[in-house]
Each structure stands twice: as structure tokens, then as C-alpha cells.
Amino acid sequence: MDTNLKQAEQVVMLAIMRKQPNAYGVSIHEELAKRLGSEVPMATIYATLEKLQTKGFVKSRQGETTAERGGRAKMYFNITGKGQAALNASLNALDRLRGIKVAGAMA
């Protein structure tokens, strides 16, 4: 399994984990801005989500349509088991490079 995630993939997946079960584009964007202290372009987030879906690391589900969105539905994202394993392996590899041993992906 390819566990070499790019930094954008790692941070988007971590934001999805933090926003469960309400991880959708805007909530991911807000979480990243809050945690990183800088704006990540929405185009980058959606391109990263598409790549992660192609790899089978995240899956999406369509929510209900809403009037404030012009009748469009939000797309919610969840990390798959394969994605969780890749994220754990990727973060643990970084920790080994830093010389830190951690029990899980999130502290």
C-alpha cells in the first residue's frame, strides 16, 4: 500500500477526522484555517479530496438539499479503513524521522 501521503493529503484527512460526522468542503476549509493559521484555497481542498477518493482513502456521501445552497446538497467525507491505515503509516514515518514514538496518529 502506498503510504506516502503528501502534506495536503495528510492535513485534509486530519481535518476530516476532527469534523466527523460533518466533514464537508467548507467545514474542512474552516478547520484547516483555524489549525494551520492560514487559508488553504478551496480548489486545493477539493482537488485533494478527489485524489484521496481515487486512492480509496476517503469516501463521500450526499447530504440533504438546502435552500441556502440553492437546492444543492453538501457532500460529506469520511476516511476509509484503507485511508486510516495510510494516514497512520505516513504520520508514524514522519515521527520516526523526528525521533518521536507515538501510539496513534492523533494525540
Side-chain angles (χ1 to χ4, degrees):
M1 175 191 321
D2 180 16
T3 60
N4 296 316
L5 297 174
K6 294 180 180 175
Q7 182 182 19
E9 293 171 327
Q10 290 174 343
V11 298
V12 166
M13 291 175 79
L14 289 168
I16 291 170
M17 290 174 64
R18 286 193 169 275
K19 299 309 292 182
Q20 289 302 315
N22 298 312
Y24 65 99
V26 172
S27 71
I28 294 168
H29 178 264
E30 291 170 349
E31 185 68 19
L32 292 176
K34 175 181 167 184
R35 300 285 175 179
L36 298 176
S38 63
E39 293 288 320
V40 177
M42 289 297 293
T44 299
I45 292 169
Y46 283 114
T48 302
L49 287 167
E50 187 174 317
K51 288 177 190 174
L52 291 169
Q53 283 191 98
T54 299
K55 292 179 178 183
F57 292 167
V58 301
K59 63 181 179 179
S60 63
R61 66 174 169 82
Q62 189 171 0
E64 297 296 319
T65 60
T66 58
E68 69 263 7
R69 294 178 46 85
R72 295 174 311 176
K74 291 179 183 175
M75 293 300 293
Y76 292 95
F77 297 89
N78 293 313
I79 296 177
T80 64
K82 179 180 174 182
Q84 186 66 59
L87 180 59
N88 288 345
S90 181
L91 294 176
N92 284 331
L94 286 175
D95 289 336
R96 285 192 303 276
L97 285 170
R98 291 189 316 218
I100 300 170
K101 184 175 174 97
V102 295
M106 291 186 59

